[in-house]
Each structure stands twice: as C-alpha cells, then as structure tokens.
Amino acid sequence: LRYFRQDGWRLVMVFLLMVASVGLNVLKPWPLAIIVDSVLGDKPGPAWLMQPPSGQQASSLAQQDYKLMALGLLAAGIFVLHLGQGSLAAVQNFLSIKIGLRGLTRVRNEIFARLQALSLKFHQGTTPGDLIYRASWDTYAFQTLFQQGLITFATAFLSLVLMVSVMAQLNGRLTLLALALVPVLIGVIKSFGRKMSERAA
C-alpha cells in the first residue's frame, strides 16, 4: 500500500464516489417497485407522490391523471438514478485506474533503479528477456491487486452491507432466508466450478 500512499486524497475521492455510487445502485429498484405496486397495482404509495393535494381532489386533476403524472416522475427518477450511478461509477473507475497506474509507475521505477544498481556479472548471467518481462509484466500485479482486488472487494462489501440493511427493513424473515441460502449457493458454485475446470483442462 505504500506505493499508493502519495495518492491519499485521490483514494478518499474514490471512496466517496464508491459510497455515492453504491447508494444510488441500491435505490435503483425503488421507483420501479412503486410503479408496480402503487401505480399499476392497488398498494398505497407515498402520499407526496400518489395523492393529489387536498384542494384538487374534485378539480380537473383527476386521480387517474395524477397516477399518470406520478408514472412520468418515477420513470424520470429511474433514468436519473441510472444516469447518476453510471456517471459516478465511471468517474470512480477512472480515478482508481489512474491511482493504480501511478502506483505501478513507482514500483517499476524502483525495480529499474534496482536493476541499474546490480553488477555487470549479474546481467551477463541473466536472460535480458526474463528481466524485461519481470520488470514490465510481473509488476502489473500491483495495479491488478489494487483495482480488481482492493477496490472491487470494497465495492462488493459495501453493496452487500447496504442491500442486506434495506432487505432487513423491508422483510426480516425473507432476508434471513436469503442469507441462509448463501452457503448453499457458494457450495454449488465451487462444486460446478471445479468440474468445469477439470473438463476444460
């Protein structure tokens, strides 16, 4: 992690963008749920969205027209949520790639300086192609571990925590049932994954 320490403020920005992106991602199903349950169905929806103002109950703004207006607002909300989450995720991805490349540059510079400090005897007894490959491609693991390891793990973990929290508030029993099936799902994936790897080899 010391290779990425110089980009501390960028890491903070990536974390904040990650939180905002995951938050919007969790909110994505909410407008669609209101459309299915309240606009198309009979379940009572949010009063500020589904019910006309008190003075307009008997006016030209009928209940059906108000439902259509609510449908338009919810459709716009779906578009805004997807656009906002996609934009935040793109900026976060751009920043994380930039941080990863900057850290990779520091690693490669350090290795190049180390290679220059080694004796001529070492270089004469070593294949140049092997050194070039190790200095250019083996070091790439630093960026991969940072971006696809650390960042991906943090995003997935935060998404899981938020989703479980929302699910628990909506239906605690269904949440426990879903979580109880996770070990079974992992076991099935590992079992089938092992067999697929054996057949592909």
Side-chain angles (χ1 to χ4, degrees):
L1 292 175
R2 68 182 179 88
Y3 293 104
F4 304 99
R5 198 173 297 156
Q6 297 180 29
D7 293 303
W9 68 271
R10 289 189 177 92
L11 286 171
V12 172
M13 285 295 300
V14 167
F15 179 75
L16 293 176
L17 288 168
M18 181 194 307
V19 172
S21 175
V22 170
L24 289 181
N25 201 32
V26 172
L27 288 177
K28 277 182 182 179
W30 179 65
L32 186 60
I34 298 178
I35 290 175
V36 173
D37 293 339
S38 303
V39 177
L40 301 178
D42 298 327
K43 186 178 178 180
W48 58 270
L49 181 66
M50 301 302 301
Q51 296 177 5
S54 56
Q56 296 181 348
Q57 293 283 356
S59 66
S60 59
L61 188 61
Q63 186 72 24
Q64 192 65 26
D65 295 333
Y66 208 79
K67 275 196 170 186
L68 289 175
M69 185 188 301
L71 180 62
L73 289 174
L74 290 168
I78 293 174
F79 175 77
V80 169
L81 284 174
H82 279 77
L83 180 64
Q85 192 273 331
S87 302
L88 290 175
V91 176
Q92 177 209 328
N93 198 34
F94 174 80
L95 271 179
S96 62
I97 290 174
K98 187 173 184 178
I99 295 170
L101 289 174
R102 286 169 64 89
L104 178 60
T105 301
R106 297 184 190 105
V107 174
R108 286 177 174 170
N109 287 340
E110 192 171 310
I111 287 181
F112 186 69
R114 173 64 179 160
L115 289 174
Q116 285 184 315
L118 293 172
S119 64
L120 289 175
K121 182 180 179 181
F122 169 82
H123 287 286
Q124 286 176 349
T126 308
T127 307
D130 182 59
L131 291 178
I132 292 172
Y133 185 86
R134 289 177 182 276
S136 58
W137 286 105
D138 284 358
T139 52
Y140 190 68
F142 276 80
Q143 183 192 4
T144 304
L145 184 61
F146 170 77
Q147 191 177 343
Q148 298 182 9
L150 185 63
I151 299 296
T152 302
F153 172 78
T155 304
F157 180 75
L158 185 60
S159 300
L160 180 64
V161 170
L162 285 178
M163 286 179 182
V164 170
S165 301
V166 172
M167 288 170 60
Q169 291 182 2
L170 294 176
N171 193 322
R173 290 184 178 180
L174 191 58
T175 303
L176 291 176
L177 179 61
L179 292 177
L181 292 175
V182 170
V184 179
L185 181 62
I186 293 175
V188 170
I189 291 173
K190 290 187 71 174
S191 176
F192 277 96
R194 190 182 303 111
K195 292 180 181 179
M196 289 174 66
S197 299
E198 291 173 356
R199 295 196 175 192

